[in-house]
Amino acid sequence: MTVRGVDHVGLTVPDVDAATTFLVEAFDAVVLYDTLPADAPPKGGHETDERLGVPDGAREVRVRMLALPGGPGIELFAFDGAAQGAPAVPTDLGWQHVALYVDDLDVTLDRVVRAGAVALGVPRPLPGPEEGARNRFVYVRTPWGSTVELLTYPDPQPYEAHTDRRRWHP
């Protein structure tokens, strides 16, 4: 078995169309297809509960696949029929953010904020084993509250002196 990379990230949002608009405006995402379009009946019941591990009564009402330039995909889900908690923050258990490698952090941050995200501070140098003169990162919150990290590391990093393996980036 060989894992070749991340194919897509699944993201539950309150409004698939609004999330799509943000992802297109902020990151040049492209809509590939709707697995469950708005005019299709919702999917629910035992098969959905079992397949996704969702609470009884939850129904998928929209599912859409988008592609980011250079991958991976982002699969948007919308549900009804079940209570939903607040979006995960870094202290919650489980997957808590998606990190996107960008070439120009400042330009990307400006664009993401114009599209509706909130910057959680200013770009900062990557620390310790990731540091380098131009290696930086910043976190943002999407309009629906999910956390995205924007980062760039065009300069060599100290960890590279200790292993031949490198972080994956486009």
Side-chain angles (χ1 to χ4, degrees), residues 46-56 58 79:
H46 178 72
E47 191 276 329
T48 298
D49 300 348
E50 183 177 74
R51 176 174 46 90
L52 297 174
V54 296
D56 289 342
F79 288 88

Side-chain angles (χ1 to χ4, degrees), residues 99-116:
L100 301 177
Y101 188 92
V102 301
D103 292 323
D104 189 323
L105 186 61
D106 298 312
V107 168
T108 303
L109 178 59
D110 288 344
R111 180 176 177 171
V112 169
V113 168
R114 278 194 318 272

